[in-house]
Amino acid sequence: MKTPKTFEAGLARLEEVLALLQDEKTPLADAVKLYAEAAQLIAGCDEALQKAKLEICEIDQALGMQGEEAAP
């Protein structure tokens, strides 16, 4: 499976995969492959969210440091 380039693309594909997994016409063999793909997509989306959280924390810390330096 090719890793999506963006969080949004990964989430969109995950939604597609979940819809296919819910479809009772999906053969078991395909469902197993889809399940594996969903697990990879979830891990990729979680990683993207963790990176974004870290960036936000770094920004917050930088802003906090600026505010402390400006105080007399």
Side-chain angles (χ1 to χ4, degrees), residues 52-68:
K53 181 179 178 181
L54 180 60
E55 288 179 33
I56 290 169
C57 287
E58 289 173 353
I59 292 167
D60 285 347
Q61 286 178 349
L63 292 173
M65 295 287 274
Q66 290 176 354
E68 290 176 13

Side-chain angles (χ1 to χ4, degrees), residues 1 5 8 13 19-21 24-27 29 31 34 37 42-43 46 51-52 55 57-58 65-68 72:
M1 184 200 91
K5 293 184 180 185
E8 293 78 10
R13 177 60 186 156
L20 291 169
L21 283 170
E24 60 188 45
K25 295 177 185 173
T26 300
L34 289 167
E37 181 180 355
I42 290 168
D46 185 58
K51 285 180 182 178
E55 288 179 33
C57 287
E58 289 173 353
M65 295 287 274
Q66 290 176 354
E68 290 176 13

Side-chain angles (χ1 to χ4, degrees), residues 1 3-15 37-53:
M1 184 200 91
T3 304
K5 293 184 180 185
T6 65
F7 171 81
E8 293 78 10
L11 190 59
R13 177 60 186 156
L14 181 57
E15 289 173 350
E37 181 180 355
Q40 289 179 334
L41 289 165
I42 290 168
C45 287
D46 185 58
E47 182 180 338
L49 287 173
Q50 293 304 319
K51 285 180 182 178
K53 181 179 178 181

